[in-house]
Every structure is written in C-alpha cells, then in structure tokens.
Amino acid sequence: MPTPTKGARLGGGPAHERHMLANLAASLFTHKSIKTTETRAKRLRPVAERLITFAKKGDLHARRRVLATIGDKSVVHELFTEIAPQVALREGGYTRITKLGFRKGDNASMVQMELVLEPLTPKVKKASASKAAKPAAEEPVAEAAPADVAEEATAPADAADAADAAVEADVVDEADAK
C-alpha cells in the first residue's frame, strides 16, 4: 500500500483497511465500475493504479505481487489478460471518480469509480513538426537536374516526409561542400 495515512483508518485497524481495499479493488477489476463512498474511493485509487501498473509489466513476479494483495486468481487473471492490454499505452490515470451526490441514510458523499478503458490516442508533438517544416519552406527550390528527376519520382507523397527528405538532402550537400 502506498504511503500509510495518519489518523483513523477506514474500519477498525490497518489490517481491516488493507483487506477492505483489496476487496474493493477486486470488485473494481471484476465489474469495471463500483459505487462507493468518496473517502473509500480516494483511498482505493493509488492501490488500484499500482496493481494495474504491476499487471502492465506482465511477468511472474508482478503476478505474484498482485496475488499477494488480491487472493482471487480469476480476478488477477482478468486483470493481466483483459485490463492490462487495454491500458498498455496509458502512463497513469487508470481510474475515474465521478461524484453522484449524497446517500440518503447517513448523507455520505457517494461516487462512481470506474476504470478508464477507452483507447488512448497518442499526442502529436507540434513543436517538432513545425521545426521540420520551417526550414524546408524557407529554402529556395533549385531547378532539378536529370538525376534529381528520378529521385523526385520516388520521393514520399506526404508533405512532412518531403520536408524531412529536403532537410536531409541539404545536410548531405553541406557535408560534400566541406
């Protein structure tokens, strides 16, 4: 369990809290979404995310460390075979907590805690793409010699690839000039 909390625990003692969090994590992995109190969800988040990080490693040692926390082998198998591949590209933030309101009986703040299993679209770095395009746009275009015409026929159709090819050609020309 990451960083033990000071003060009162959820339930009676530290062992009860550890078992309760293990059961909540098992329910979360089984059902992909659970409804619980806000305090329990906030305590569960680091535990669940750590177990998912172990599952992403996928080796035997990681499986045994998860089994030390969650005793149910079927839940651990589901975590390693179904959940881990779905979050393989994600670097963290595997859970989402959505507030639902207050419970009728004791007015406890209730939340919906769920796994974030949507596919992650990789971010394109704009700075590197604009730097590669700028030098190619500023350079004057020289007339093509007969040997260069054959190279243009095999040149990439994408504008970014063409810009990279132009920059590489200039680097080679500068090296030949020296």
Side-chain angles (χ1 to χ4, degrees):
M1 175 191 306
T3 313
T5 57
K6 295 182 180 180
R9 305 270 191 299
L10 296 175
H16 182 263
E17 181 179 357
R18 188 177 65 246
H19 290 299
M20 184 188 58
L21 290 175
N23 288 334
L24 281 170
S27 295
L28 179 65
F29 298 143
T30 302
H31 302 290
K32 313 291 190 274
S33 176
I34 58 173
K35 183 177 176 181
T36 184
T37 62
E38 185 176 1
T39 307
R40 286 181 180 179
K42 285 183 177 179
R43 292 276 184 92
L44 175 60
R45 174 177 264 174
V47 175
E49 295 201 1
R50 184 171 172 86
L51 293 175
I52 293 172
T53 303
F54 282 136
K56 282 174 58 175
K57 290 181 184 176
D59 58 351
L60 181 62
H61 181 63
R63 184 176 292 265
R64 286 181 175 160
R65 290 194 63 178
V66 172
L67 273 167
T69 303
I70 300 175
D72 191 357
K73 289 183 181 181
S74 63
V75 174
V76 174
H77 178 73
E78 184 176 351
L79 175 62
F80 274 75
T81 59
E82 294 177 17
I83 297 171
Q86 290 179 339
V87 295
L89 297 177
R90 199 173 289 275
E91 293 181 3
Y94 310 117
T95 58
R96 177 185 298 131
I97 297 177
T98 307
K99 294 187 178 184
L100 298 175
F102 298 97
R103 189 161 50 193
K104 187 175 181 182
D106 60 355
N107 206 30
S109 178
M110 298 299 288
V111 297
Q112 183 81 25
M113 187 171 188
E114 56 190 355
L115 294 174
V116 181
L117 299 176
E118 292 87 20
L120 182 69
T121 56
K123 294 183 179 179
V124 178
K125 293 187 179 182
K126 294 179 182 178
S128 62
S130 64
K131 286 181 183 177
K134 275 186 181 179
E138 294 173 358
E139 296 173 8
V141 177
E143 292 185 26
D148 293 335
V149 174
E151 290 177 8
E152 288 179 1
T154 60
D158 188 22
D161 290 341
D164 291 339
V167 170
E168 289 176 12
D170 291 336
V171 170
V172 170
D173 290 342
E174 290 175 1
D176 290 341
K178 290 180 182 180

